[in-house]
Amino acid sequence: MKINATRKGLITGVGMVLLGLLLLWKQVPTNSALQYLVFLIYGAGIVWAVYPAKNGSSVFSALFSNGFRCFVVVTLIMAIYTFVFFQSNGAMIEREIQASKLERLKTAKDRTPREIEEEAKNTRKYYVPIMVSQTIFQYLLIGVVVTTVVAGALSLSKKN
């Protein structure tokens, strides 16, 4: 059975979610270098989707199309994962907002405590949509860059 680029994106996205859950379960800090393994899996999944397509065609658009199908599926999976994760972790969001609010109260000279409290209230309201939007933009951008580089390199290597 031949696995197409869309299925490769599904496999890649599920792998990324599982790794993210493993890192969360092991309580790996969010600033740890281990977090970049998720992006390594993402890049490898795109290469996995694009590279076999070079046997059928060396045209950039055909190669890019396979990568596109892969990274769009991964982006969708990661957006859903981000939404579910932050919806189910309200306490974590609240801790982050409180820490930010305390920091602002100490350092912000141009805002009153009332304005800082209003800012925290708005953050609570828009936190999940902002995080989902950030995730979508991030994964689409990385997907386009990696796919363009891989598809470009493979299409140029066929010509030489």
Side-chain angles (χ1 to χ4, degrees), residues 120-140:
K121 190 187 302 181
N122 284 334
T123 302
R124 276 184 203 91
K125 187 193 289 186
Y126 297 113
Y127 191 87
V128 175
I130 287 171
M131 293 308 290
V132 171
S133 299
Q134 178 183 335
T135 298
I136 292 169
F137 181 76
Q138 173 183 354
Y139 283 104
L140 286 177

Side-chain angles (χ1 to χ4, degrees), residues 11-29 32-42 77-78 81 85 139:
I11 293 167
T12 301
V14 169
M16 290 167 64
V17 168
L18 291 176
L19 178 61
L21 290 172
L22 177 67
L23 293 174
L24 188 67
W25 180 61
K26 290 292 188 178
Q27 297 177 345
V28 175
S32 169
L34 288 175
Q35 298 288 345
Y36 290 106
L37 288 174
V38 172
F39 295 108
L40 183 66
I41 290 173
Y42 186 35
I77 290 169
M78 294 310 290
Y81 170 70
F85 176 80
Y139 283 104

Side-chain angles (χ1 to χ4, degrees), residues 3 63 128:
I3 301 175
L63 297 171
V128 175

Side-chain angles (χ1 to χ4, degrees), residues 22 25 35 37-38 48 53 55 58 64-65 68 74 84 89 93 100 111 120-122 124 132 138:
L22 177 67
W25 180 61
Q35 298 288 345
L37 288 174
V38 172
W48 181 38
N55 296 332
S58 64
F64 186 87
S65 175
F68 178 81
V74 171
V84 170
N89 287 308
I93 294 171
S100 176
R111 290 195 175 108
K121 190 187 302 181
N122 284 334
R124 276 184 203 91
V132 171
Q138 173 183 354

Side-chain angles (χ1 to χ4, degrees), residues 54-111:
K54 82 174 178 102
N55 296 332
S57 174
S58 64
V59 178
F60 176 82
S61 61
L63 297 171
F64 186 87
S65 175
N66 280 309
F68 178 81
R69 282 186 246 132
C70 176
F71 78 71
V72 165
V73 171
V74 171
T75 300
L76 177 65
I77 290 169
M78 294 310 290
I80 292 169
Y81 170 70
T82 301
F83 178 78
V84 170
F85 176 80
F86 284 113
Q87 284 292 96
S88 62
N89 287 308
M92 183 194 73
I93 294 171
E94 193 57 39
R95 280 192 309 270
E96 205 170 296
I97 290 171
Q98 290 303 323
S100 176
K101 189 169 85 171
L102 289 174
E103 184 63 30
R104 286 205 192 282
L105 285 169
K106 289 178 189 173
T107 60
K109 304 291 184 214
D110 59 337
R111 290 195 175 108

